[in-house]
Amino acid sequence: MQPWVVGVSHETADVSLREAASLDAALIPSALAELAAAGAEEAVIVSTCNRTELYLVTGDGRDAREVAREFFARRAKAGRETALLSALYAHEGEEAARHLFAVAAGLRSLVLGEDQILGQVKEAYRLAAACGAAGPILSHLFQRAIHVGKRVRTETGLGRGAVSVSYAAVELARKIFGDLSGKRILLLGAGEMAELALKNLADHGSLRIWVANRTREHGEALARAFGGEAVAMEELEERLAAADIVLASTGAREPVLTRAMVQRAVRRRRGRPLFVIDIAVPRDVDPDVHALDGVFLYNIDDLRAVVEANAAERRLHVPHAQAIVARQAREFGRWLRQRLADPVIRALRAKFKAVADREIERLLRRLPQLDEKQREQVRAVSDAIVGKLLHDATVALKRSAEQGRHEQVFQVVAEMFSLEAGEPPEESGLREPKGAPEAVRLRPLRPGEGAAW
């Protein structure tokens, strides 16, 4: 059985399609149950703002791609089913592993080398495992992906340096102050850039955050989300006098902080330095503020120079990261091929063990003087002998599977040792959670609809 990945990402779909496909964490258990009802024996769902991917193992002749297409089609907005299905990509086996390893490493991220995706891959696997959906194949795949993601981050420089303006602003603040814990941050604006900056700031200790925004409700919502306090624009001078760092991103057409306003605030600071980071275009801060004593002003061009240098540095590490991914994908493919030998190996071991157990029990019946501990020692020696006798055969069977010669070899072994055909499939572990909804059935997709597989 081969793992498949079928999904959409920022590389294939616009935001409206990605929104339709995305799943909140609270919906993942029911979605896994839906996939189970549709024929998936194993399933993991990776859903972020930039990608939604189904990792599937199916049995009983069920096509994983069809299961996935039906799943995504049920989530398409009216009239957009064809567009969403056309944006799907699919990879099988070793290629599925190569794709996931590249995702976990940050090679397929919108921001090259970003760290957040590895945590999202870990969480996707943790949630699937908690629901009983990650069986032996996907567990091995995701555990190896997490290992690859960590290796890329420790062995290469792919994740070093800020490569977004909002993240670069936070990195600059960290360089200025070192530890940001306890620092007072005044945020001007409540838009996307401001929110991204706050997300990054929230990772660096306990901060005192003030959010000033012309639309008070937006400022209150952003402040509440990060444990901060919304302040009125009329309070800016008072907050300037107390803040350590000002991060400006309002989208106003004229400067929000004038030289006169900042100069008055500086007089009340008693020599404490004020760091102002202006990431707005047009600028929120009068450039002449830079000339004031104790005020250090950085604008978006200062940050972009850092971002571009860091992005160029990251790109230098892509070949090394890709080599790690490719090597680990080949190892996973080798493991998958070797699994083809598992049924005949299990049957062979069962046959040998059954013969050995029968003979040992006959011997033990003739040795009543042995106590139970001694009898267990005899049985353990018997099991060890069986294992040693079959070691070379096990290695040879796995090698034949890896080389694609397994069908002929397995047939010869089965005939030599009279092995019974039809080994039971390995337990996948996929179960429907109690109370999970039944899968919603969809008409089969017509030829030509969706992606070309």
Side-chain angles (χ1 to χ4, degrees), residues 324-336:
I324 293 173
V325 165
R327 188 161 55 248
Q328 291 296 318
R330 287 193 298 270
E331 283 296 311
F332 181 80
R334 180 169 172 262
W335 177 82
L336 271 180

Side-chain angles (χ1 to χ4, degrees), residues 81-241:
E81 177 183 315
T82 301
L84 178 57
L85 296 180
S86 297
L88 296 178
Y89 47 82
H91 304 291
E92 180 187 18
E94 187 174 319
E95 285 306 308
R98 187 189 303 271
H99 175 84
L100 177 59
F101 296 171
V103 168
L107 286 167
R108 307 303 293 265
S109 295
L110 186 61
V111 176
L112 180 66
E114 58 106 351
D115 288 332
Q116 190 177 11
I117 186 61
L118 180 57
Q120 291 166 332
V121 168
K122 286 181 185 177
E123 179 59 17
Y125 171 58
R126 185 201 66 77
L127 190 51
C131 293
I137 294 176
L138 292 186
S139 288
H140 189 83
L141 175 64
F142 272 79
Q143 288 166 9
R144 191 177 284 261
I146 293 166
H147 170 72
V148 170
K150 290 178 179 177
R151 278 195 61 185
V152 167
R153 282 159 177 76
T154 56
E155 296 180 20
T156 77
L158 191 67
R160 293 177 197 154
V163 288
S164 71
V165 169
S166 58
Y167 187 66
V170 176
E171 287 296 291
L172 176 60
R174 289 182 65 202
K175 287 179 181 177
I176 292 169
F177 286 99
D179 183 12
L180 293 181
S181 295
K183 295 296 182 288
R184 290 161 292 193
I185 313 292
L186 174 58
L187 186 68
L188 305 185
E192 183 180 358
M193 292 280 276
E195 183 175 357
L196 286 173
L198 267 189
K199 283 181 179 177
N200 290 315
L201 282 166
D203 292 332
H204 299 291
S206 176
L207 306 172
R208 180 84 182 269
I209 297 172
W210 297 312
V211 180
N213 192 60
R214 292 195 183 280
T215 305
R216 183 67 181 254
E217 305 86 72
H218 294 166
E220 288 175 345
L222 185 60
R224 187 165 53 249
F226 292 92
E229 176 189 351
V231 299
M233 297 298 286
E234 294 74 22
E235 299 178 52
L236 278 185
E237 281 194 36
E238 180 183 344
R239 302 297 177 172
L240 278 173

Side-chain angles (χ1 to χ4, degrees), residues 190-423:
E192 183 180 358
M193 292 280 276
E195 183 175 357
L196 286 173
L198 267 189
K199 283 181 179 177
N200 290 315
L201 282 166
D203 292 332
H204 299 291
S206 176
L207 306 172
R208 180 84 182 269
I209 297 172
W210 297 312
V211 180
N213 192 60
R214 292 195 183 280
T215 305
R216 183 67 181 254
E217 305 86 72
H218 294 166
E220 288 175 345
L222 185 60
R224 187 165 53 249
F226 292 92
E229 176 189 351
V231 299
M233 297 298 286
E234 294 74 22
E235 299 178 52
L236 278 185
E237 281 194 36
E238 180 183 344
R239 302 297 177 172
L240 278 173
D244 297 301
I245 300 169
V246 177
L247 186 61
S249 176
T250 70
R253 305 307 302 175
E254 299 293 335
V256 176
L257 297 185
T258 64
R259 176 184 172 117
M261 182 188 299
V262 177
Q263 191 169 27
R264 288 193 297 271
V266 166
R267 293 193 189 106
R268 300 167 57 188
R269 296 179 62 84
R270 298 180 181 179
R272 286 189 303 109
L274 175 65
F275 292 88
V276 183
I277 303 170
D278 186 357
I279 57 177
V281 177
R283 286 175 287 183
D284 279 338
V285 184
D286 184 339
D288 289 342
V289 163
H290 186 64
L292 298 175
D293 289 339
V295 178
F296 301 87
L297 173 64
Y298 299 85
N299 63 32
I300 196 166
D301 285 343
D302 299 324
L303 297 178
R304 277 180 176 158
V306 174
V307 166
E308 289 169 7
N310 288 340
E313 175 67 21
R314 285 189 177 193
R315 286 192 289 271
L316 294 176
H317 296 277
V318 167
H320 186 186
Q322 288 175 329
I324 293 173
V325 165
R327 188 161 55 248
Q328 291 296 318
R330 287 193 298 270
E331 283 296 311
F332 181 80
R334 180 169 172 262
W335 177 82
L336 271 180
R337 291 188 294 273
Q338 287 181 348
R339 277 178 54 85
L340 295 171
D342 287 351
V344 73
I345 290 172
R346 288 197 298 270
L348 194 58
R349 287 184 180 277
K351 184 71 177 261
F352 273 54
K353 181 168 172 42
V355 171
D357 286 349
R358 282 197 302 270
E359 296 305 315
I360 288 298
E361 292 308 315
R362 286 178 187 171
L363 172 64
L364 292 176
R365 283 197 294 271
R366 297 196 295 268
L367 299 170
Q369 69 274 23
L370 298 182
D371 60 28
E372 189 55 36
K373 182 177 180 181
Q374 291 169 326
R375 289 169 180 269
E376 287 303 319
Q377 288 174 338
V378 172
R379 294 186 183 104
V381 169
S382 174
D383 289 344
I385 291 171
V386 169
K388 289 180 183 296
L389 285 173
L390 289 178
H391 174 74
D392 290 342
T394 299
V395 172
L397 287 167
K398 289 191 173 186
R399 186 184 304 118
S400 69
E402 186 182 343
Q403 296 171 351
R405 300 181 295 109
H406 54 285
E407 290 186 3
Q408 304 94 316
V409 173
F410 294 177
Q411 185 176 355
V412 170
V413 171
E415 290 175 358
M416 286 177 62
F417 295 99
S418 301
L419 302 181
E420 293 183 8
E423 279 293 297

Side-chain angles (χ1 to χ4, degrees), residues 15-23 52 72 75-77 80 84:
V15 67
S16 66
L17 291 178
R18 299 201 307 275
E19 283 174 346
S22 67
L23 291 165
T52 298
F72 282 112
R75 282 149 182 81
K77 294 179 180 178
R80 304 219 66 192
L84 178 57

